[in-house]
Amino acid sequence: MSDMMSRFRGRILLFTILMITAGSLSAFAADELIIFNREYYAIKDLNATDVWKLKELSISQDKGAAKNAGVILGRHYVRQGELEKGYKLLQENMDDSYFDRFMKINAHLWLLDAAQKSKESDIAAKEKEYLAKQDMDDKAEKAYRLYCTQEKLPIDDKNVKECMDRKPGKKPETVFDLKPVVKEAPKTEMPQVESPLPQSVFAVPAVVPETAMAPRVSDEKEPEPLKSGEPAPQIKPEPVKEQPKQPVLTRGKIVVNVVNSFQNPEIIEAMLYTISRQKTNIELDFKGDRNFYDYVIDAGAATITAGNTTYDFSSARKENMMKAADMAVDMGAKIIVLGYSEGYRDTASEIADRLKDRAQFFLFNIQEKDYQGKLKEFKGKAGGHPLNYVIGGTQEQVIKILPFMKYYSPRPDKTIIVNAVDTVSKKYLTGEYGEFSRNTYIVSDIVLTEKPEAEEFAAIFTKDFNKAPVMSDYIGHDFIQFMEKRKVGGSGSYISNIKETSDGIKRMGGAYRITAGGKLTKID
């Protein structure tokens, strides 16, 4: 059985890699506008994921995105010692009409640097002449500081531009640093401690039933479209069996009947992962042929049943979308683009109907391929008035739309954005997306920066699986904590902002305003 599961996992992984590779060159539609944070990539030291994304952008039909990505990649290759490759990219993509002020100065500095290193004196002289004529505003100064810092050229705050004529040396204290200076700690002998974490994402946990689900290789997959005329498949959930009256947890091992596992494999994966990490004595049974179980978990509904009581751990996305819409209307939004993901159209329709006397709503599915076409359509219907946004979904779904919200609003300075996001990490608040989330609002079940236990789990999970956890992973973790807390002398800590009350399980999500630097202000 274990050999069969290994072969199954391998086939799933190979199929996924082939599908990703096959689709990589057609990631962007021919008429699609692409907005990405140029400054973020220009400043940072690119990793493999960054390079892959920039390569995709460089072959897109959006000339502006392609040209900016091309010069950033060119600079990266020059810094990595691939001078010929980088110089060629810089020359091919040099077009000032597609660059903003910061990127324009950067591009000419990078081309000058590559020309000098390639001993192309004519091109170097031309670039020097161009740069000498440029005024030193704040954007130009920032570009010069970036370049001279990377090349280790000393900077004089009184004349930053002169750093170009200096030789590499020790940097003065006033230099624009991209990374903090960290002093090396004194070396000490540390005892060798065996790590409790699995050594591989494909390592099988210590207590894993043979029917365990294969590891997930992507956070979420778009549903395959139905063929014309093909009826939608009817999925019949497995019923939750009524448990016989018997004292719970009288034995050492906890035995759990798991139903509807195919509807939410992420929950199963997270439970197996947590059982392995915590070395807890819990067995997951997927057959359901025993006479008694301590608990029954319905993965599809995200509920756990103990005796005759069922506890609901599911995401509060519906409630969060409603709260976000109420906030937007209360702040004065009159025209609202209401985006929803698969399974939440009824929620969006309910919100629009409930608030129709206070605002006009445009509804769309954020998982549609041509979402930009929808936003263009809504902009035309707005008649010059600001478009406001309430988008509900996972973090990965929402940040795909985030850069375009103000772009497609006729009045971006008056646009109100209140998004309902299941989980929010630093990726949403800072870095590449910080520019687009600043001065917007979120309603979320989990904000990792506000809950250290969740942030720690996310860091370890991401390291082991090379993917960030989604809401279902946090729920799977908390199912195990729920059972652990009920052991005699047991303990457990929830990470998905839930609280046990006399009425059962209650989610304690919150609303926040995002300000500069990704700082959050809680809104009661």
Side-chain angles (χ1 to χ4, degrees):
M1 184 66 179
S2 60
D3 289 341
M4 183 182 73
M5 287 302 297
S6 296
R7 289 196 297 272
F8 175 72
R9 290 190 184 102
R11 288 171 186 168
I12 288 292
L13 176 63
L14 177 60
F15 174 76
T16 305
I17 291 173
L18 288 173
M19 290 300 290
I20 291 173
T21 304
S24 63
L25 295 181
S26 59
F28 302 106
D31 60 346
E32 186 175 10
L33 173 72
I34 301 164
I35 298 177
F36 74 103
N37 193 334
R38 278 82 162 152
E39 183 173 323
Y40 173 78
Y41 286 104
I43 287 176
K44 75 173 299 195
D45 293 326
L46 304 182
N47 56 34
T49 302
D50 298 328
V51 171
W52 178 259
K53 177 173 181 176
L54 289 168
K55 282 181 177 178
E56 284 190 329
L57 290 168
S58 69
I59 60 172
S60 70
Q61 295 300 311
D62 184 326
K63 285 288 184 70
K67 293 293 185 184
N68 278 271
V71 294
I72 294 171
L73 273 176
R75 172 59 174 167
H76 168 73
Y77 288 126
V78 170
R79 292 187 66 201
Q80 296 301 311
E82 298 181 64
L83 178 58
E84 184 177 350
K85 184 177 182 180
Y87 188 23
K88 183 180 179 182
L89 276 173
L90 285 164
Q91 289 178 301
E92 290 176 347
N93 291 283
M94 182 61 68
D95 189 335
D96 285 358
S97 64
Y98 292 106
F99 303 146
D100 61 20
R101 175 68 173 163
F102 177 69
M103 283 302 300
K104 187 181 297 185
I105 300 297
N106 272 319
H108 284 278
L109 283 170
W110 297 342
L111 184 57
L112 169 60
D113 175 78
Q116 289 176 330
K117 290 174 179 175
S118 301
K119 303 189 184 308
E120 295 275 359
S121 57
D122 290 346
I123 294 178
K126 182 180 176 182
E127 292 304 316
K128 273 192 174 182
E129 182 181 355
Y130 171 86
L131 290 166
K133 296 177 181 178
Q134 300 303 306
D135 295 331
M136 284 299 288
D137 56 19
D138 59 335
K139 296 293 185 182
E141 181 175 330
K142 187 173 185 178
Y144 270 93
R145 284 184 178 275
L146 168 62
Y147 172 78
C148 292
T149 298
Q150 290 177 339
E151 296 297 315
K152 296 182 172 59
L153 303 174
I155 299 172
D156 181 356
D157 282 340
K158 295 180 180 179
N159 194 336
V160 175
K161 207 171 191 178
E162 285 188 355
C163 70
M164 292 290 298
D165 301 321
R166 294 192 173 94
K167 293 181 179 180
K170 185 178 180 181
K171 298 183 294 182
E173 293 181 359
T174 55
V175 118
F176 170 71
D177 282 314
L178 301 177
K179 295 182 179 179
V181 177
V182 181
K183 294 183 178 179
E184 184 178 355
K187 295 181 178 180
T188 57
E189 293 294 329
M190 298 296 291
Q192 297 297 317
V193 180
E194 184 179 354
S195 171
L197 300 181
Q199 295 301 310
S200 167
V201 63
F202 301 108
V204 180
V207 184
V208 182
E210 292 183 343
T211 50
M213 303 299 293
R216 183 173 81 260
V217 294
S218 64
D219 284 341
E220 54 189 63
K221 297 179 181 178
E222 299 289 341
E224 294 184 5
L226 296 174
K227 296 179 181 178
S228 178
E230 182 180 346
Q234 298 297 316
I235 299 176
K236 295 182 179 180
E238 302 171 41
V240 177
K241 297 179 180 179
E242 183 176 348
Q243 297 298 295
K245 294 183 179 180
Q246 180 172 336
V248 179
L249 308 181
T250 56
R251 293 166 283 107
K253 178 188 287 187
I254 297 175
V255 182
V256 184
N257 179 209
V258 181
V259 301
N260 298 320
S261 58
F262 64 94
Q263 292 186 11
N264 201 331
E266 288 90 354
I267 281 183
I268 310 303
E269 180 180 76
M271 285 197 293
L272 292 170
Y273 178 63
T274 305
I275 289 171
S276 175
R277 283 189 62 233
Q278 296 185 353
K279 302 188 185 303
T280 186
N281 196 8
I282 295 177
E283 177 185 345
L284 304 184
D285 182 279
F286 298 85
K287 296 180 180 179
D289 56 2
R290 304 190 188 189
N291 292 326
F292 175 78
Y293 292 93
D294 294 302
Y295 298 97
V296 176
I297 288 177
D298 186 332
T303 61
I304 182 168
T305 300
N308 295 319
T309 304
T310 297
Y311 301 86
D312 186 355
F313 278 67
S314 61
S315 165
R317 188 186 299 178
K318 177 178 179 178
E319 293 77 10
N320 291 344
M321 287 178 65
M322 289 184 170
K323 183 173 183 177
D326 288 339
M327 287 174 59
V329 170
D330 288 343
M331 284 187 272
K334 297 300 182 185
I335 303 176
I336 298 177
V337 175
L338 182 54
Y340 60 89
S341 58
E342 296 291 344
Y344 286 89
R345 177 173 176 82
D346 288 347
T347 298
S349 298
E350 182 182 340
I351 291 170
D353 185 63
R354 179 170 59 87
L355 298 173
K356 63 184 177 183
D357 293 334
R358 301 179 64 192
Q360 179 183 2
F361 287 86
F362 299 136
L363 274 60
F364 81 109
N365 185 336
I366 63 175
Q367 292 176 267
E368 289 181 7
K369 186 174 181 180
D370 188 28
Y371 63 88
Q372 286 196 47
K374 285 288 186 183
L375 297 180
K376 290 177 186 176
E377 177 188 332
F378 299 151
K379 180 179 181 179
K381 291 180 177 179
H385 298 288
L387 280 179
N388 306 284
Y389 295 86
V390 173
I391 309 294
T394 67
Q395 177 171 273
E396 292 304 314
Q397 290 170 340
V398 175
I399 60 175
K400 181 179 69 173
I401 314 289
L402 188 61
F404 300 96
M405 295 182 187
K406 289 186 178 181
Y407 180 85
Y408 283 111
S409 175
R411 293 289 306 277
D413 57 321
K414 300 294 184 181
T415 294
I416 297 168
I417 298 173
V418 190
N419 292 329
V421 190
D422 292 346
T423 64
V424 175
S425 70
K426 288 180 180 178
K427 182 177 182 179
Y428 190 99
L429 303 173
T430 59
E432 180 182 2
Y433 295 96
E435 172 186 348
F436 308 112
S437 66
R438 185 170 61 247
N439 295 324
T440 69
Y441 298 81
I442 53 171
V443 181
S444 178
D445 284 339
I446 309 174
V447 177
L448 298 186
T449 56
E450 299 291 292
K451 197 168 182 64
E453 304 96 321
E455 193 168 28
E456 180 183 1
F457 173 80
I460 297 171
F461 187 98
T462 302
K463 179 181 178 182
D464 287 342
F465 286 91
N466 198 31
K467 292 289 178 183
V470 294
M471 189 64 194
S472 293
D473 295 308
Y474 295 101
I475 292 172
H477 172 279
D478 282 353
F479 274 153
I480 302 303
Q481 307 314 306
F482 178 88
M483 292 181 281
E484 283 292 292
K485 286 163 75 75
R486 278 158 177 72
K487 283 182 177 179
V488 176
S491 62
S493 176
Y494 296 127
I495 59 174
S496 65
N497 279 354
I498 57 178
K499 182 179 180 181
E500 291 190 52
T501 69
S502 56
D503 298 324
I505 295 295
K506 182 180 179 181
R507 288 220 165 270
M508 304 294 289
Y512 302 85
R513 180 171 184 253
I514 305 171
T515 56
K519 294 180 179 178
L520 297 171
T521 301
K522 184 77 179 288
I523 300 173
D524 295 330

